C-alpha cells in the first residue's frame, strides 16, 4: 500500500538524520564557493588558495594534533544554493567555521544564516559592506572578511578616473540583481560626482541578460569619456565585445570582479587598454608575493589571481584563530578572530576593524593584449 | 429520526495520521531529529499544500494554470513583509502573516481570474504563464515599493517561524477541507466543468462562478504554502518564483494523478523527500547526476502510467460512504 | 530619430532569432497539439554544436551552421520517436510532462562535466567584427548575417510548406490526422519530418544567437525558448507567418521597453502585451477563430 511506502521513506530519512554525528578527531571547516556557473574561475581559484593553506597547516601537524578537514560546497553563484549549502554544512556536517562565499550576493544571505547559527564565517572576497554589518550599522559579530570593502574600492576607482585618466563624464552599467555590482556602482557614482565628475548614464541590466545592444546604444547616445562596469568578468566580457560592435570606444574601467584568467578569452582583444581595481598584483615585488606566486605556480601550474590569494589569506587567518581556540568551538574561534592584529598575509598585514573588515591597500591593473600589468596602488588615507 | 454518523474508515485514518504526526513532533521536541531533516520534512509539507491548491484548480476543475508559483510568491512576500513590519506579535506573527498572504493571493487570483478564466485550456495556460512572469518582474522591482523586500537581490532576514507542527496542522486541515469540498455539491460542479463545460452550463451550473471559486481557493492554498516557505528558508529570491517553479508543482500534481488528493500528497511528499534527501545521501561526486536522473524518472513514469500514480482514484478512507466500493 | 531606428534594429535582430525558434514551436503545435518544452534546449544544443564546429573542428561558418542544423534535426526526430510518439493516444498533459522531462534532461545532462559542462563558454567569432555607419546608424556585419541567414531560412520554409508535396502533407496532417492517413499520407513520417525541420531551424537560431551574443551555457535555452513560444502564441499558434510576426513583435517590444521604460520591466512589457492580445483575440493575431462544437 502506498501509505506504507511513504512511512518507510520518512523513517529512513529520520534514521539518516539521527546517525549523522561524525568522529571528533578532525576539525571540520566548511567552504562555500561557486565551483560551477557563471563565475566558476572565482570559486576554483579561491578554493585552490584555501586548500593550499590547509595542506600546509596539516603537513605541519595540524591544530593541536588534529587535522583540518574541508567540506567544500558548490553554491553555483546562486544565493539560495549558498544559503542551503550553509545550512547543510552547519546542521548536517557540523562544521565549526565557514570560509565563503565568494560573491557578495551569496555571502549576504549566508552571513545572515551563520550569524543566527553563531558559526564564524570569513569571506575571502565579498566586498560589499553589508556582508559584515546589519542594516542598522552594527557588526554581525560572527562575520569577517579578508578583503577591502566597496566603499574603499569606489574611492579608488573614482580617484583613478579623475586624477589619472582625467575623464570628465562617465557612464555606469550594472547588474540590478547583484548587490556587489549595484553597491559598487552606487559608490562610484557618488564619489565620482563628489570629485566634480558627471555621470551621464546610469543603466541597469539583469543577471541573465546577454544582449546589451539596446542599453549600449543608449549609453553611446550620452557620449561618455568612461564606461564603468562594476560586474564580473563573464558579463563584462560580453558588454565590452558588444560595445565595440556598436562603435562605442570610450575608456573602460572596472572593479575586482574583472580579475579572471578567462577575461581575455571572453572579451577578446577589445578589453586591451582598460583598467580595473584589484586586491593584489602578481607583479608586486614584495618578497611575500614573490614566494606566494612561486608556491602557487608549483602546486597548480599557473599564476595566482586575487581570488586565490584572498582564499589563501582567509584560510591563514582562520587557522591562526584556530590555534588560539583551545577547544575549536565556534565561539572561541570567533573571539580569536576578532583579536587578530597585523597578521602577515600575502595581500598585506591584516587587522580587523570594529566591523570585521581589514584595512588594506588596493592596486590598479591594466589589461593589455596578453594579460595583466600592474599600474599603481592606493592606500586608505581617506 | 436523526441519522447517526458512523465511525467510518475516514475517521480512523485521520486518527492514525494525526497520531503519527504527533509522534514525529515528539521526536523533534526530544531533540532526536537533526534540524536539517526537520527542514526537509517541513518543506515536504509546504510542497503538499501548494500542490493541493493546483490539484483543485487543474485536477478537479480542469483549469490549466501555469502561474501557480506567482501566488506562492505573493503569499511568501506578503507574509514575510507582515512579520517584518510588525515584529512584536510573538506567537501570532506567523498565522497573521499566513492569513495576510492567503488573502492577498486570493484577491489577486480573483481579479486576474475574472478576465483570464474565459480562455480555453492551452491559452489559459499561456495567459497564466504570462501573469506569472509579470509577477516575477514585480518581485524583482519590489524594493521600489518596500525597500526591505530587496528587489532583484532578494529579501533577507525573515524570522524562522515555521515549525513542523505548523506545517503538519495546516497540511492536515487542507487535506480534510479539500476532501470535504470535492465530495460535496460544489466539488461535483467543479468536476462537471472539467469534464464538459458546455454541458455543465446546459444543466444550469454557473461555470464562471465555480471556476473562479476553485481558482481562488487553489491560489489561496498556494499563498499559505508560500508564507510557510518564507519563514522556513528565511530568504526569498525572485528567481525562485518563476515558471520553473510552477512547472515543479504541475509535475507533482500530474505524477500524483490529476484529481486525486491522495495522489497529490504522495507525489508531493515523495518529490520533496527524494529530491532533498538525495542531496544528503549522494556523495558530492555524483551530485550532478541527481538532476539527470530526476527527469528520466518523470519520463518513465509518464510512459508507463500516463494517468499518474493514483490516476483519478483516492484511498478508500478518504471517500465518503456512498463512494466506497463495497 | 536615428536613435529610435538603431534600437529598432537591435530589436529586429533579437526578433529574427526568436522567429527561428518560434517556427519550430508553431509547426509542432500545429501538427500534434503539443507545446514542445524541450525546443528551447534543442536551440541550446544547436548553439553548442556550432561552438564545437567552429572552435574545435575549425569548420568554416556556413558549414558550422549546417552541422548544427543537421545535428538538431536528428535530435528532434530522436526525441519525437522516443518520448512523444508512444504517448500520442494518451491525454495531452502526459506528453506535456514528458516534454518537460526531456527539457530538464537535456539541460542537466549537457551540464555534466563530460558532456558540455556547467560552464559559460565564450563563443568564437569565425570572422572579424566590422561596423558600418549608415545615416547615423551603426550596423555590424554580425547583424547583417543574422538578418540574412534568418530571412533565407524563413523564405525557404515558407516555400517548402506551400509549394512542395511534403509541405502539403504537413498541412494536411495538421488539419486532421485520420483523414490525411486515409489519403495515403504516412502520418508518422510527416510528423517526424516536422519535428526535424523545426529542430533544424532552432539549431540555426542557436548558432546565430551564439555569434550575436557570444556566451553560451547549458541553460541558455530556457528564456529564449519561453519568449519564442509566447511569440508563436501571440501570432497565432499553428500558423507559420504568425510565428514570424509574433517573434518580431516580441523582439522589438522587448528592446524598446528596455530603453524607453525601464530595463527591469522589460519582460513584463512583453508578457502584458501577450495577455492583452489573448483577451482581445483569443486565437492570436493571425489565428483563426475556433468555433466550439457541442
Amino acid at each position: 500500500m502506498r501509505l506504507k511506502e511513504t512511512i518507510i521513506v520518512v523513517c529512513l530519512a529520520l534514521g539518516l538524520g539521527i546517525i549523522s554525528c561524525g568522529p571528533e578527531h578532525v576539525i571540520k571547516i566548511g567552504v562555500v564557493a561557486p565551483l560551477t556557473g557563471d563565475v566558476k574561475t572565482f570559486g576554483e581559484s579561491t578554493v585552490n588558495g584555501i586548500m593550499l593553506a590547509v595542506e600546509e597547516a596539516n603537513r605541519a601537524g595540524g591544530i593541536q594534533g588534529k587535522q583540518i578537514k574541508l567540506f567544500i560546497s558548490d553554491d553555483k553563484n546562486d544565493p539560495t544554493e549558498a544559503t542551503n549549502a550553509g545550512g547543510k554544512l552547519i546542521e548536517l556536517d557540523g562544521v565549526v567555521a565557514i570560509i565563503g562565499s565568494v560573491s557578495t550576493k551569496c555571502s549576504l544571505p549566508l552571513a545572515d544564516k551563520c550569524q543566527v547559527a553563531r558559526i564564524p564565517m570569513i569571506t575571502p572576497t565579498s566586498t560589499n559592506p553589508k556582508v559584515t554589518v546589519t542594516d542598522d550599522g552594527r557588526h554581525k559579530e560572527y562575520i569577517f572578511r579578508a578583503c577591502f570593502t566597496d566603499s574603499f574600492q569606489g574611492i579608488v576607482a573614482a580617484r583613478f578616473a579623475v586624477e589619472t585618466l582625467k575623464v570628465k563624464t562617465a557612464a555606469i552599467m550594472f547588474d540590478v540583481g547583484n548587490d556587489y555590482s549595484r553597491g559598487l556602482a552606487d559608490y562610484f557614482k557618488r564619489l565620482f560626482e563628489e570629485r566634480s565628475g558627471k555621470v551621464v548614464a546610469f543603466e541597469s541590466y539583469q543577471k541573465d541578460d546577454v544582449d546589451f545592444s539596446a542599453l549600449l546604444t543608449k549609453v553611446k547616445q550620452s557620449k561618455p569619456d568612461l564606461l564603468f562596469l562594476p560586474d564580473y568578468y563573464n558579463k563584462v566580457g560580453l558588454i565590452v565585445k558588444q560595445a565595440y560592435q556598436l562603435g562605442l570606444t570610450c575608456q573602460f574601467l572596472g572593479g575586482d570582479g574583472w580579475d579572471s584568467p578567462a577575461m581575455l578569452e571572453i572579451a577578446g582583444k577589445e578589453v586591451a587598454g582598460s583598467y580595473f581595481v584589484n586586491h593584489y598584483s602578481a607583479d608586486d615585488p614584495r618578497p611575500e608575493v614573490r614566494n606566494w606566486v612561486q608556491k602557487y605556480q608549483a602546486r597548480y601550474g599557473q599564476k595566482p589571481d586575487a581570488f586565490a590569494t584572498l582564499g589563501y589569506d582567509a584560510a591563514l587567518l582562520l587557522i591562526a584563530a584556530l590555534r588560539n581556540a583551545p577547544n575549536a568551538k565556534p565561539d572561541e574561534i570567533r573571539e580569536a578572530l576578532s583579536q587578530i592584529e597585523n597578521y602577515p598575509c600575502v595581500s598585506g598585514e591584516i587587522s580587523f576593524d570594529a566591523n570585521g573588515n581589514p584595512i588594506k591597500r588596493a592596486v590598479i591593473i591594466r589589461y593589455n593584449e596578453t594579460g595583466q600589468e600592474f599600474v599603481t596602488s592606493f592606500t586608505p588615507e581617506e | 429520526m436523526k441519522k447517526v454518523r458512523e465511525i467510518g474508515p475516514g475517521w480512523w485514518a485521520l486518527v492514525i495520521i494525526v497520531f503519527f504526526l504527533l509522534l514525529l513532533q515528539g521526536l523533534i521536541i526530544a531533540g532526536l531529529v537533526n534540524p536539517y531533516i526537520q527542514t526537509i520534512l517541513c518543506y515536504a509539507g509546504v510542497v503538499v499544500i501548494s500542490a493541493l491548491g493546483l490539484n483543485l484548480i487543474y485536477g478537479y476543475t480542469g483549469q490549466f494554470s501555469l502561474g501557480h508559483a506567482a501566488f506562492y510568491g505573493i503569499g511568501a512576500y506578503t507574509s514575510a513583509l507582515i512579520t517584518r513590519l510588525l515584529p512584536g506579535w510573538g506567537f501570532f506573527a506567523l498565522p497573521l502573516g499566513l492569513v495576510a498572504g492567503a488573502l492577498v493571493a486570493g484577491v489577486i487570483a480573483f481579479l486576474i481570474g475574472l478576465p483570464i478564466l474565459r480562455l480555453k485550456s492551452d491559452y489559459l495556460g499561456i495567459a497564466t504563464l504570462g501573469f506569472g512572469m509579470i509577477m516575477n518582474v514585480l518581485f524583482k522591482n519590489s524594493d521600489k515599493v518596500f525597500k526591505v523586500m530587496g528587489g532583484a537581490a532578494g529579501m533577507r532576514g525573515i524570522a524562522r517561524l515555521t515549525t513542523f507542527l505548523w506545517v503538519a496542522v495546516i497540511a492536515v486541515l487542507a487535506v480534510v477541507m479539500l476532501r470535504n469540498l470535492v465530495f460535496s455539491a460544489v466539488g461535483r460542479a467543479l468536476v462537471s466543468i472539467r469534464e464538459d463545460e458546455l454541458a455543465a452550463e446546459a444543466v444550469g451550473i454557473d461555470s464562471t462562478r465555480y471556476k473562479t471559486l476553485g481558482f481562488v481557493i487553489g491560489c489561496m492554498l498556494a499563498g499559505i504554502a508560500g508564507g510557510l516557505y518564507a519563514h522556513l528558508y528565511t530568504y526569498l529570491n525572485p528567481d525562485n518564483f518563476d515558471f520553473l517553479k510552477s512547472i515543479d508543482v504541475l509535475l507533482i500534481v500530474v505524477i500524483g494523478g490529476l484529481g486525486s488528493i491522495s495522489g497529490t500528497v504522495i507525489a508531493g511528499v515523495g518529490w520533496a523527500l527524494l529530491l532533498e534527501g538525495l542531496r544528503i545521501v549522494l556523495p558530492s561526486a555524483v551530485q550532478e547526476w541527481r538532476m539527470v536522473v530526476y527527469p528520466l524518472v518523470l519520463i518513465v513514469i509518464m510512459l508507463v502510467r500516463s494517468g499518474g500514480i493514483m490516476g483519478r482514484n483516492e484511498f478508500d478512507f478518504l471517500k465518503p460512504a456512498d463512494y466506497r466500493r463495497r | 530619430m536615428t536613435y529610435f531606428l538603431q534600437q529598432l534594429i537591435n530589436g529586429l535582430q533579437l526578433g529574427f532569432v526568436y522567429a527561428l525558434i518560434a517556427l519550430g514551436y508553431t509547426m509542432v503545435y500545429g501538427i500534434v497539439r503539443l507545446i514542445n518544452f524541450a525546443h528551447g534546449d534543442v536551440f541550446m544544443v544547436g548553439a553548442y554544436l556550432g561552438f564545437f564546429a567552429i572552435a574545435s573542428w575549425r569548420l568554416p561558418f556556413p558549414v558550422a551552421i549546417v552541422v548544427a542544423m543537421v545535428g538538431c534535426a536528428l535530435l528532434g526526430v530522436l526525441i519525437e520517436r522516443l518520448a512523444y510518439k508512444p504517448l500520442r493516444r494518451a491525454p495531452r498533459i502526459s506528453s506535456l510532462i514528458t516534454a518537460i522531462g526531456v527539457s530538464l534532461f537535456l539541460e542537466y545532462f549537457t551540464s555534466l562535466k563530460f558532456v558540455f559542462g556547467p560552464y559559460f563558454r565564450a563563443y568564437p567569432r569565425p570572422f572579424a567584427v566590422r561596423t558600418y555607419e549608415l545615416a547615423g546608424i551603426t550596423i555590424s556585419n554580425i547583424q547583417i548575417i543574422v538578418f540574412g541567414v534568418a530571412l533565407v531560412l524563413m523564405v525557404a520554409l515558407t516555400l517548402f510548406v506551400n509549394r512542395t508535396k511534403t509541405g502539403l502533407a504537413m498541412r494536411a496532417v495538421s488539419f486532421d490526422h485520420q483523414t490525411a492517413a486515409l489519403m495515403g499520407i504516412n502520418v508518422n513520417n510527416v510528423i517526424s519530418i516536422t519535428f526535424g525541420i523545426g529542430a533544424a531551424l532552432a539549431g540555426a537560431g542557436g548558432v546565430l544567437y551564439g555569434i550575436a551574443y557570444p556566451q553560451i551555457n547549458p541553460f541558455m535555452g530556457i528564456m529564449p525558448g519561453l519568449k519564442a513560444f509566447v511569440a508563436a502564441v501571440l501570432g497565432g499558434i499553428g500558423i507559420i507567418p504568425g510565428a514570424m510576426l509574433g517573434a518580431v513583435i516580441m523582439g522589438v517590444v522587448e528592446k524598446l521597453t528596455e530603453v524607453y521604460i525601464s530595463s527591469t520591466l522589460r519582460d513584463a512589457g512583453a508578457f502584458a502585451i501577450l495577455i492583452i492580445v489573448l483577451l482581445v483575440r483569443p486565437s492570436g493575431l493571425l489565428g483563426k477563430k475556433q468555433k466550439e462544437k457541442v
Side-chain angles (χ1 to χ4, degrees):
Chain A
M1 225 187 54
R2 299 283 150 63
L3 194 57
K4 230 185 240 168
E5 280 150 41
T6 321
I7 298 179
I8 294 178
V9 172
V10 171
C11 287
L12 264 174
L14 279 174
L16 276 166
I18 297 173
I19 321 174
S20 71
C21 349
E24 294 300 338
H25 55 265
V26 290
I27 299 185
K28 301 186 206 170
I29 305 287
V31 174
V32 179
L35 297 169
T36 59
D38 49 352
V39 292
K40 76 172 181 96
T41 67
F42 290 174
E44 288 172 344
S45 294
T46 311
V47 170
N48 283 351
I50 296 173
M51 289 204 306
L52 197 50
V54 169
E55 278 166 12
E56 285 177 351
N58 279 342
R59 263 203 301 271
I63 312 275
Q64 294 147 17
K66 295 192 200 157
Q67 295 280 289
I68 301 176
K69 182 156 191 253
L70 287 177
F71 287 76
I72 302 180
S73 252
D74 177 10
D75 69 14
K76 309 185 176 89
N77 200 24
D78 178 84
T80 315
E81 283 284 333
T83 319
N84 290 342
K88 177 166 173 286
L89 287 170
I90 297 174
E91 291 162 8
L92 204 60
D93 299 315
V95 300
V96 293
I98 290 187
I99 305 180
S101 174
V102 170
S103 68
T104 296
K105 67 176 179 172
C106 291
S107 293
L108 278 170
L110 185 63
D112 285 341
K113 193 152 194 114
C114 290
Q115 177 65 17
V116 165
R118 303 165 72 98
I119 298 279
M121 176 186 125
I122 176 163
T123 165
T125 53
S126 292
T127 48
N128 192 298
K130 286 192 286 187
V131 174
T132 55
V133 169
T134 63
D135 290 324
D136 27 325
R138 289 173 299 121
H139 176 218
K140 299 176 195 169
E141 302 109 29
Y142 284 82
I143 316 298
F144 300 85
R145 80 175 95 217
C147 54
F148 55 57
T149 61
D150 284 333
S151 44
F152 177 55
Q153 190 169 190
I155 296 178
V156 172
R159 282 187 58 192
F160 183 70
V162 169
E163 295 165 17
T164 314
L165 295 174
K166 301 210 196 309
V167 293
K168 302 265 185 307
T169 57
I172 307 176
M173 281 173 67
F174 63 96
D175 178 346
V176 73
N178 182 343
D179 294 285
Y180 160 74
S181 184
R182 195 172 183 181
L184 191 50
D186 284 333
Y187 280 115
F188 179 78
K189 177 169 191 282
R190 185 156 45 97
L191 298 159
F192 186 68
E193 287 176 338
E194 268 177 26
R195 286 165 178 74
S196 339
K198 192 161 168 323
V199 172
V200 293
F202 192 69
E203 296 299 325
S204 66
Y205 50 84
Q206 294 175 58
K207 171 173 76 97
D208 293 321
D209 286 357
V210 284
D211 179 14
F212 299 97
S213 52
L215 286 180
L216 284 167
T217 305
K218 198 171 178 188
V219 162
K220 187 178 173 199
Q221 188 87 339
S222 61
K223 301 202 208 318
D225 296 326
L226 173 83
L227 178 55
F228 184 58
L229 296 171
D231 202 342
Y232 304 133
Y233 64 93
N234 64 316
K235 276 285 177 294
V236 172
L238 269 182
I239 297 177
V240 165
K241 257 203 160 125
Q242 289 178 23
Y244 257 72
Q245 256 175 268
L246 284 161
L248 177 63
T249 50
C250 58
Q251 180 69 245
F252 297 113
L253 177 67
D256 63 324
W258 283 39
D259 186 15
S260 167
M263 176 65 131
L264 280 171
E265 188 197 320
I266 296 178
K269 51 180 176 43
E270 283 97 345
V271 81
S274 36
Y275 299 87
F276 67 100
V277 184
N278 205 4
H279 306 267
Y280 115 112
S281 166
D283 301 331
D284 194 326
R286 284 189 298 136
E288 298 95 354
V289 179
R290 302 273 103 230
N291 284 344
W292 161 243
V293 172
Q294 260 177 345
K295 207 165 31 175
Y296 190 87
Q297 195 134 17
R299 174 78 169 81
Y300 294 111
Q302 47 179 302
K303 277 204 196 157
D305 59 11
F307 290 87
T309 313
L310 289 169
Y312 183 76
D313 284 349
L316 280 186
L317 290 165
L318 187 60
I319 292 172
L322 279 169
R323 291 199 199 284
N324 289 330
N327 296 315
K329 288 256 168 294
D331 288 323
E332 297 169 0
I333 301 175
R334 188 209 75 78
E335 184 63 35
L337 272 172
S338 60
Q339 307 282 356
I340 288 184
E341 266 209 47
N342 291 329
Y343 193 83
C345 292
V346 178
S347 51
E349 286 192 347
I350 301 208
S351 311
F352 292 116
D353 67 8
N355 286 331
N357 299 327
I359 308 172
K360 299 171 76 175
R361 60 201 273 275
V363 299
I364 300 278
I365 310 242
R366 182 177 179 276
Y367 269 116
N368 54 38
E369 309 247 329
T370 48
Q372 300 181 359
E373 62 184 64
F374 171 77
V375 175
T376 181
S377 72
F378 283 81
T379 38
E381 295 109 28
E382 34 197 291
Chain B
M1 215 168 74
K2 260 204 180 155
K3 222 162 125 177
V4 175
R5 183 90 66 84
E6 54 168 86
I7 312 277
W11 288 105
W12 284 116
L14 187 63
V15 167
I16 294 178
I17 290 175
V18 167
F19 176 70
F20 175 67
L21 291 172
L22 281 175
L23 190 65
L24 269 178
Q25 175 65 14
L27 284 176
I28 290 177
I29 296 181
L32 285 175
V33 183
N34 188 292
Y36 193 68
I37 304 286
Q38 278 181 48
T39 307
I40 295 183
L41 289 175
C42 290
Y43 185 59
V46 165
V47 162
V48 164
I49 296 172
S50 175
L52 284 172
L54 186 62
N55 194 15
L56 183 65
I57 298 175
Y58 186 35
Y60 284 100
T61 323
Q63 304 304 298
F64 186 42
S65 165
L66 281 176
H68 210 61
F71 296 97
Y72 187 65
I74 291 173
Y77 273 103
T78 309
S79 61
L81 198 61
I82 296 279
T83 55
R84 192 59 167 282
L85 292 179
L86 309 170
W89 289 68
F91 174 75
F92 294 102
L94 185 63
L96 197 66
L98 291 179
V99 165
L103 281 177
V104 174
V107 165
I108 296 184
F110 181 73
L111 293 173
I112 270 289
L114 280 179
I116 279 192
L117 287 168
R118 273 193 277 141
L119 298 169
K120 301 280 167 258
S121 187
D122 284 344
Y123 291 99
L124 176 63
I126 293 155
T128 47
L129 180 72
F131 170 70
M133 298 298 296
I134 294 178
M135 255 351 276
N136 184 283
V137 169
L138 291 179
F139 290 148
K140 288 191 175 132
N141 285 293
S142 57
D143 55 335
K144 300 204 171 79
V145 180
F146 284 102
K147 188 143 182 287
V148 76
M149 282 170 81
M155 184 169 182
R156 294 178 285 122
I158 305 174
R160 169 113 184 201
L161 294 173
T162 305
T163 63
F164 180 73
L165 194 60
W166 275 116
V167 173
V169 164
I170 295 180
V172 168
L173 282 177
V175 169
V176 168
M177 179 203 83
L178 270 184
R179 177 264 188 193
N180 287 339
L181 181 69
V182 302
F183 286 110
S184 71
V186 174
R188 285 192 290 274
L190 296 177
V191 171
S192 72
I193 294 175
R194 172 188 79 198
E195 293 299 316
D196 191 328
E197 194 172 333
L198 275 178
E201 286 261 358
V203 295
I205 293 177
D206 183 348
S207 72
T208 308
R209 176 167 164 225
Y210 284 106
K211 278 197 290 193
T212 313
L213 183 69
F215 189 62
V216 166
I217 297 180
C219 291
M220 285 174 78
L221 278 172
I224 295 178
L228 287 169
Y229 169 82
H231 295 90
L232 181 65
Y233 283 97
T234 70
Y235 171 67
L236 295 176
N237 191 305
D239 288 337
N240 293 340
F241 302 107
D242 60 355
F243 87 105
L244 291 175
K245 188 77 166 192
S246 294
I247 286 184
D248 279 346
V249 188
L250 180 71
L251 286 174
I252 293 173
V253 171
V254 174
I255 296 281
L258 282 172
S260 164
I261 296 180
S262 345
T264 304
V265 172
I266 293 174
V269 172
W271 186 85
L273 289 185
L274 227 54
L275 224 49
E276 292 303 314
L278 278 179
R279 215 196 276 262
I280 312 175
V281 174
L282 285 180
S284 43
V286 196
Q287 273 292 325
E288 24 177 40
W289 284 89
R290 184 173 66 105
M291 289 306 286
V292 178
V293 170
Y294 161 58
L296 283 177
V297 168
L298 280 179
I299 297 177
V300 164
I301 293 184
M302 278 295 109
L303 288 175
V304 166
R305 271 183 92 94
S306 56
I309 300 179
M310 294 287 293
R312 288 251 175 98
N313 307 320
E314 302 277 3
F315 287 135
D316 270 353
F317 61 78
L318 274 177
K319 299 184 199 166
D322 331 330
Y323 288 77
R324 264 177 256 132
R325 260 175 285 187
R326 299 276 155 231
Chain C
M1 187 58 191
T2 46
Y3 176 64
F4 175 73
L5 283 177
Q6 181 81 65
Q7 296 293 22
L8 198 63
I9 293 183
N10 293 333
L12 286 174
Q13 177 186 8
L14 190 60
F16 273 58
V17 176
Y18 283 163
L20 290 174
I21 312 174
L23 284 168
Y25 270 116
T26 217
M27 292 200 301
V28 163
Y29 188 86
I31 208 163
V32 283
R33 301 280 176 277
L34 168 71
I35 303 176
N36 183 8
F37 270 112
H39 197 62
D41 302 288
V42 170
F43 158 82
M44 175 269 294
V45 171
Y48 269 93
L49 286 175
F51 171 79
F52 289 121
I54 300 175
S56 308
W57 307 326
R58 308 224 169 274
L59 298 171
F61 181 60
V63 179
I65 296 195
V66 170
V67 164
M69 287 177 74
V70 168
C72 286
L74 290 172
L75 179 66
V77 172
L78 186 72
I79 295 175
E80 192 266 325
R81 286 279 146 131
L82 283 180
Y84 303 150
K85 181 153 176 265
L87 290 170
R88 242 183 251 161
R89 307 236 177 278
R92 280 181 43 218
I93 184 69
S94 319
S95 324
L96 194 73
I97 302 291
T98 313
I100 296 174
V102 172
S103 166
L104 289 171
F105 176 74
L106 283 175
E107 286 159 20
Y108 285 99
F109 183 70
T110 54
S111 295
L112 293 175
K113 297 201 173 74
F114 67 90
V115 188
F116 297 156
Y119 320 121
F120 281 57
R121 292 193 198 245
Y123 217 78
R125 291 245 177 92
F127 43 79
V129 179
R130 262 188 284 274
T131 57
Y132 309 99
E133 294 280 332
L134 202 65
I137 307 178
T138 312
I139 289 202
S140 69
N141 55 348
I142 304 228
Q143 282 168 326
I144 297 179
I145 290 179
V146 169
F147 287 138
V149 173
L151 266 171
V152 164
L153 287 173
M154 289 197 278
V155 166
L157 178 75
T158 313
L159 287 175
F160 180 80
V161 169
N162 290 328
R163 299 280 173 90
T164 65
K165 259 180 120 179
T166 320
L168 184 62
M170 283 165 64
R171 281 181 284 143
V173 174
S174 324
F175 210 76
D176 189 314
H177 286 212
Q178 285 164 326
T179 315
L182 287 173
M183 297 287 142
I185 295 175
N186 185 330
V187 171
N188 284 335
N189 280 359
V190 170
I191 293 181
S192 296
I193 291 176
T194 311
F195 267 88
I197 295 179
L201 289 172
V207 177
L208 291 176
Y209 191 89
I211 298 282
Y213 317 115
Q215 196 168 82
I216 59 175
N217 73 88
F219 298 92
M220 65 185 274
I222 299 179
M223 274 319 262
L226 183 65
K227 297 203 175 134
F229 170 61
V230 168
V233 173
L234 187 67
I237 191 130
I239 302 186
I240 289 178
M244 298 189 217
L245 177 67
V248 167
I249 294 179
M250 282 290 285
V252 170
V253 165
E254 199 181 307
K255 287 292 137 193
L256 292 181
T257 313
E258 196 175 332
V259 285
Y260 285 112
I261 304 183
S262 150
S263 92
T264 39
L265 293 176
R266 174 191 68 203
D267 292 335
F271 289 106
I273 296 218
L274 169 76
I275 294 186
I276 294 174
V277 166
L278 279 182
L279 290 178
V280 172
R281 281 188 71 94
S283 304
L285 287 172
L286 298 182
K288 292 185 266 286
K289 269 192 140 215
Q290 302 272 24
K291 292 266 185 261
E292 234 191 300
K293 298 206 191 124
V294 183

